[in-house]
Amino acid sequence: MAAHKVTSEDRWAPRFFAIFGGQVVSLLGSGLVQFALVWWLTSTTGSATVLAGATIFAILPQVVVGPFAGALVDRWNRRRVMIVSDGAIALVTAGLVVLYATGSIQVWHVYAVMLLRSSLGAFHFPAMLASTSLMVPDEHLARINGLNQGLRGLLSIAAPPLGALLLGVMPLHLVLAIDIVTATIAIVPLLVFDIPQPARVAVAAHAHPVRVMLHDLREGLRYVRGWSGLLVLMIVAMALNFFLTPSGTLMPLLVTQHFRGGALQLGWLESAMGVGIVAGGLLLGAWGGFKRRILTSLMGVAGLGLGVVLVGLAPSDLFGMALAGMFFTGLMSPLANGPLMAIMQSTVEPGMQGRVMSLLDSGAAAMMPLSLLLAGPVADAVGVRPWYIVGGLICIAIAIASLGIRPLMRIECNGHAPTAPGPGVLAADPCAGE
């Protein structure tokens, strides 16, 4: 199906929400698998090193595979990419179900499954995001992304307790099998509905597939470098991820060392953030944000920093202040991320979105191990709280400083210099009247 930018007059909602609903169900299954596997590793080994290894195996594909996956997604049929990704993830999980049911499962099997699932997700993520801009009218993108953020927050609240409940009444392999069912539910709408495809650049019949992929990847890098606003946006996103990532990783130490709490207090903090994400997603879905989306995103970034600072400043006898800080952090998360995705979907050419989304995701993911390598020794030397306070303040400073970066503030109207998007790709100029 050829690319066609839908408008509010088109009957876009039934197709999009059928596909979107299937993906939400699949995310719930993935959340259950993630919880079940982490719990199995914890109860079987009790090793922090093993858990850290699992995290690395889950992150690496986003960094290494992501850019190449984005280049392929822009050339392949995105609907087929999503079908194959969902189906392959289900098959990988099925293999783990058999291993557990036969008593053959080992830690390296779980590592391999996490690596494969993350690698397949590296294809699925840009395919879904890049397809959204061709299925949803531009004026609704911020609301749809807000709804997406809110639902993800809801799933982050529901999946852990639901996983714990299911593990209490059924063996692990049956909990894992639920992911196969949810993946099937996600595939069915993709078999029924078409997804618009962007125009493809013709490739010579004798061209080697690897050379084509590398050419497309280089083209994506040139696209980003040639658009100063987009390049600045990606650098800012990477910096923010660097300073914010440790706040989540160090949370258990904050709970045990500072608040003298346990698993219950940690669960309250995580739930407070999840509730905030749901509220923030609903707020963005109803409001839609400022006309210039970058302002909404930067407001959300400043709010994220403020929430993290509040958590770090909370005295040991004011746990409620930390809960409020986590709720506020969650509330601001959709306001920071939803408009950012809408900007990418409405301003980046449809044929480039897979590559650009993957480059952004890979760059942000690459910051996670780097920041953790620094945060660990810093926390050991001066304690956990300073990282929250300093990291949060830096995020606020980045948001304020970004207001003075003209290419970033005009990203929604300055386009890509070498190759301007075609008719119907850009929204009405939000910078008109400047």
Side-chain angles (χ1 to χ4, degrees):
M1 185 175 180
H4 165 67
K5 184 61 181 174
V6 297
T7 66
S8 295
E9 285 72 31
D10 296 319
R11 295 186 69 254
W12 61 273
R15 173 177 60 181
F16 173 76
F17 282 109
I19 295 173
F20 179 74
Q23 296 304 311
V24 170
V25 172
S26 180
L27 283 173
L28 176 60
S30 297
L32 293 176
V33 167
Q34 183 70 17
F35 180 86
L37 292 181
V38 169
W39 180 253
W40 183 84
L41 289 172
T42 302
S43 59
T44 302
T45 69
S47 169
T49 302
V50 169
L51 292 177
T55 301
I56 292 173
F57 275 96
I59 291 174
L60 274 179
Q62 299 175 40
V63 180
V64 179
V65 179
F68 300 99
L72 294 171
V73 163
D74 281 335
R75 189 167 293 280
W76 291 346
N77 183 291
R78 291 170 179 173
R79 181 171 72 100
R80 292 174 186 167
V81 169
M82 294 168 66
I83 291 173
V84 171
S85 296
D86 280 329
I89 288 173
L91 286 176
V92 169
T93 305
L96 196 61
V97 168
V98 173
L99 287 172
Y100 184 85
T102 57
S104 306
I105 189 172
Q106 298 179 33
V107 170
W108 75 266
H109 293 143
V110 176
Y111 281 2
V113 165
M114 288 186 165
L115 185 68
L116 288 171
R117 287 174 63 90
S118 182
S119 299
L120 292 165
F123 287 88
H124 190 283
F125 171 76
M128 182 61 194
L129 280 182
S131 298
T132 299
S133 65
L134 293 174
M135 291 190 291
V136 177
D138 183 75
E139 61 269 27
H140 295 301
L141 281 174
R143 292 185 173 89
I144 290 298
N145 280 293
L147 177 63
N148 183 36
Q149 292 280 321
L151 285 172
R152 285 177 180 270
L154 187 61
L155 291 176
S156 71
I157 298 172
L162 180 58
L165 175 64
L166 292 174
L167 286 173
V169 297
M170 62 177 65
L172 175 66
H173 65 280
L174 292 184
V175 176
L176 297 176
I178 295 175
D179 187 51
I180 302 173
V181 177
T182 57
T184 303
I185 293 174
I187 291 173
V188 170
L190 293 170
L191 297 175
V192 175
F193 295 97
D194 285 325
I195 291 179
Q197 289 293 118
R200 294 187 181 89
V201 177
V203 179
H206 61 277
H208 194 280
V210 174
R211 291 182 178 177
V212 172
M213 180 185 65
L214 293 176
H215 171 271
D216 288 350
L217 178 58
R218 288 193 297 270
E219 191 178 53
L221 291 170
R222 283 196 298 268
Y223 186 91
V224 173
R225 288 199 306 266
W227 187 348
S228 57
L230 182 58
L231 181 60
V232 172
L233 177 63
M234 296 184 74
I235 293 173
V236 168
M238 291 168 67
L240 291 171
N241 210 47
F242 181 90
F243 288 107
L244 287 176
T245 292
S247 64
T249 304
L250 298 175
M251 188 67 68
L253 292 178
L254 182 72
V255 169
T256 56
Q257 295 178 5
H258 179 61
F259 293 110
R260 306 300 179 193
L264 181 60
Q265 285 71 28
L266 178 61
W268 286 350
L269 287 173
E270 292 180 349
S271 295
M273 184 167 182
V275 171
I277 291 175
V278 173
L282 293 175
L283 173 62
L284 183 61
W287 170 36
F290 298 116
K291 180 179 180 182
R292 192 178 302 187
R293 293 162 176 157
I294 191 65
L295 291 176
T296 309
S297 189
L298 291 177
M299 182 185 74
V301 168
L304 284 172
L306 179 58
V308 172
V309 169
L310 287 175
V311 174
L313 289 175
S316 59
D317 58 347
L318 278 182
F319 185 69
M321 180 176 171
L323 287 175
M326 288 300 292
F327 172 81
F328 192 72
T329 300
L331 181 71
M332 292 292 107
S333 181
L335 298 183
N337 295 314
L340 175 62
M341 290 297 101
I343 289 171
M344 304 284 277
Q345 291 165 338
S346 63
T347 59
V348 176
E349 296 177 38
M352 297 294 298
Q353 287 187 11
R355 279 164 281 187
V356 172
M357 298 287 189
S358 292
L359 287 171
L360 175 63
D361 188 50
S362 298
M367 295 297 101
M368 297 173 67
L370 294 177
S371 64
L372 292 174
L373 285 173
L374 176 62
V378 169
D380 289 337
V382 300
V384 176
R385 295 175 69 201
W387 187 275
Y388 283 81
I389 298 169
V390 175
L393 289 174
I394 290 176
C395 289
I396 295 174
I398 290 175
I400 295 174
S402 296
L403 295 172
I405 304 177
R406 184 172 174 80
L408 178 61
M409 296 309 298
R410 291 184 56 82
I411 187 173
E412 296 168 78
C413 46
N414 58 13
H416 179 259
T419 310
V425 173
L426 289 178
D429 187 355
C431 307
E434 284 193 354

